[in-house]
Amino acid sequence: MNFEDFIISPRNFRTENWQIGNRITKEIKEDSIVLLFVSDYRGAGGEAEVQDFTAIRKEFYRLSQLDFDIPIVDLGDLVSGKSVEDSHYILQEVLSACHQNRAIPVIIGGSNDFAFSLFSGLNFHQQNINYTQISNIISLKQNEEINEHTFLGKIFGSKNFSIKNYHHLGYQKHLNEADSVKLIKEVEFDIVRLAEMMNSTEKTEPFFRKADLVTVNCDAIESFSDAFSVNPQVNGLNRREICAYMKEIGLSENLKSVGIFNYNIYTENQLNHQLLAQMIWYLIEGINIQRSHPKERQYELFYVLINDRQYAFKRDTFSSLWYFGDDENIENCIPCSRKDFDDAKKGWLNARFTRV
């Protein structure tokens, strides 16, 4: 498929040698990060006309490239299809090309239902996906149409999809139906409230560590002075917190696809564009750091006795990250935090460690 038919190539910007824009190319490369901007907001009740992402690019291109080694590609702006389904189909074709080149696609803009395309595109290439979503809303509504309220139910309900773990972070109780939250808990997927994510990433870092796919609903980020998202909220992750979490996303050992959705592309507020640009930058920094880590790891083994039963924890001697379990294959151990280990020493074991 010829991408030139439905992707508008980005314009050129004058940048300094030290700025990240100086190393950005426009064609998919192997083992690269591929940025693609999406204008279709019909899944959130918006429009589908091609929007101008120039202001965001200007803010992003002028940031420092530090010592980044990974190739960065700005593929351009996706032209919306005649229908929402057409846009999803086109996006999945682009995603497939990225995965074939072991590139990490980062989809920016569009409504939150495009997370469905990211999952579908990745599911074509691998099974047992670990999916983490940052969103203030948990919606499992049933409908033929795909939108921001139905996409998650379609992922869970599809016989063709293979999901290993799902982690929903940042939900706010006062915005959600109790039944949706209850259902997620009944199938033993993890739900973390906004309050548990604030001030520190330590507690929720384990939910990113093995993630294959991470999507961010910008509605989970607090708006300031002007709406940051299409469904702006007074409460949410603040500017520093979301940048810290973007870095954690990049640090995932298995990361293959990222989406940043429901951004208010109609805003003229420079600070909003600046924040989105810096979110992308911190994501890239995390990916670069992870690529520099050694593949072979050593682990310290610790045993904790609770009610006459022995439980094992492991600590990565390079990263100091913790795992629950004593399996020789670290992939079979559960990522956890130092606090989980400390709590176990006090006699309290996190319930998610004992799920069958």
Side-chain angles (χ1 to χ4, degrees):
M1 182 177 287
N2 188 356
F3 291 161
E4 293 180 358
D5 295 337
F6 48 83
I7 293 180
I8 301 172
S9 182
R11 54 172 283 194
N12 295 320
F13 295 91
R14 181 179 296 177
T15 56
E16 302 291 337
N17 290 337
W18 61 273
Q19 293 175 322
I20 198 168
N22 194 56
R23 62 176 290 111
I24 290 177
T25 59
K26 298 182 180 181
E27 294 184 0
I28 298 175
K29 297 180 178 180
E30 289 188 353
D31 301 308
S32 64
I33 297 171
V34 178
L35 308 180
L36 179 65
F37 294 79
V38 175
S39 301
D40 193 336
Y41 283 82
R42 284 175 287 188
E47 305 297 330
E49 288 82 2
V50 173
Q51 299 297 321
D52 186 2
F53 291 91
T54 299
I56 299 168
R57 284 192 171 96
K58 282 183 176 179
E59 294 293 338
F60 175 65
Y61 279 40
R62 67 176 56 159
L63 299 175
S64 172
Q65 61 174 288
L66 289 184
D67 55 353
F68 295 167
D69 290 325
I70 190 169
I72 303 171
V73 178
D74 185 350
L75 207 55
D77 304 339
L78 189 74
V79 177
S80 302
K82 187 175 182 179
S83 67
V84 175
E85 289 74 18
D86 291 338
S87 293
H88 277 271
Y89 173 79
I90 295 169
L91 177 57
Q92 288 176 38
E93 290 295 315
V94 179
L95 293 168
S96 183
C98 291
H99 295 314
Q100 287 172 2
N101 285 277
R102 300 187 307 277
I104 299 175
V106 179
I107 310 305
I108 304 150
S111 46
N112 202 37
D113 54 289
F114 281 101
F116 177 88
S117 282
L118 269 67
F119 191 98
S120 179
L122 183 56
N123 189 78
F124 182 78
H125 294 270
Q126 79 165 68
Q127 301 295 301
N128 298 320
I129 294 172
N130 291 306
Y131 175 26
T132 297
Q133 180 184 191
I134 297 178
S135 178
N136 59 335
I137 296 293
I138 301 173
S139 180
L140 298 172
K141 291 182 179 179
Q142 302 296 314
N143 196 302
E144 286 295 321
E145 295 182 0
I146 184 167
N147 57 50
E148 64 176 351
H149 300 295
T150 63
F151 81 90
L152 192 57
K154 290 182 181 295
I155 290 176
F156 291 159
S158 175
K159 295 180 180 179
N160 299 321
F161 288 167
S162 175
I163 186 166
K164 182 178 181 181
N165 291 301
Y166 174 69
H167 310 299
H168 194 111
L169 313 182
Y171 96 100
Q172 299 180 39
K173 288 197 297 185
H174 58 282
L175 299 176
N176 286 277
E177 296 181 29
D179 288 345
S180 295
V181 177
K182 182 180 178 182
L183 183 58
I184 294 288
K185 291 181 177 179
E186 285 178 351
V187 295
E188 296 189 332
F189 287 145
D190 295 294
I191 299 180
V192 178
R193 291 176 54 203
L194 170 65
E196 299 176 72
M197 297 182 68
M198 297 169 67
N199 301 318
S200 172
T201 62
E202 181 182 359
K203 182 172 183 178
T204 48
E205 178 279 328
F207 299 126
F208 297 105
R209 198 182 309 167
K210 298 294 183 181
D212 301 295
L213 165 65
V214 181
T215 62
V216 178
N217 178 357
C218 287
D219 296 338
I221 302 166
E222 67 180 13
S223 289
F224 53 96
S225 70
D226 190 26
F228 183 74
S229 67
V230 295
N231 302 302
Q233 298 295 323
V234 66
N235 286 311
L237 295 170
N238 66 32
R239 288 163 279 181
R240 296 175 185 83
E241 289 166 345
I242 189 58
C243 286
Y245 278 109
M246 294 306 295
K247 185 175 180 178
E248 292 292 352
I249 294 170
L251 286 168
S252 166
E253 298 172 7
N254 298 331
L255 189 65
K256 299 179 183 69
S257 199
V258 179
I260 305 172
F261 303 121
N262 274 13
Y263 174 70
N264 179 19
I265 188 57
Y266 311 109
T267 181
E268 296 181 359
N269 189 313
Q270 182 184 4
L271 294 180
N272 282 346
H273 299 320
Q274 196 174 93
L275 176 56
L276 180 59
Q278 292 185 19
M279 287 168 59
I280 300 167
W281 189 92
Y282 277 102
L283 170 69
I284 293 173
E285 183 191 29
I287 295 172
N288 272 272
I289 292 172
Q290 180 56 237
R291 293 282 177 95
S292 70
H293 286 178
K295 300 301 180 184
E296 298 296 327
R297 302 291 183 88
Q298 301 295 321
Y299 301 92
E300 294 178 322
L301 183 61
F302 301 85
Y303 287 101
V304 176
L305 197 64
I306 302 177
N307 297 329
D308 297 325
R309 185 171 179 180
Q310 185 173 266
Y311 297 95
F313 287 82
K314 287 186 175 183
R315 187 182 75 88
D316 185 327
T317 57
F318 174 79
S319 65
S320 293
L321 295 177
W322 289 79
Y323 295 83
F324 175 80
D326 59 0
D327 197 292
E328 290 186 3
N329 183 357
I330 198 65
E331 295 297 323
N332 295 328
C333 297
I334 301 173
C336 66
S337 66
R338 172 61 191 257
K339 186 177 185 302
D340 290 321
F341 173 64
D342 290 338
D343 287 343
K345 290 192 295 182
K346 298 174 184 177
W348 187 83
L349 191 68
N350 193 317
R352 69 187 182 94
F353 299 155
T354 56
R355 293 174 188 165
V356 178

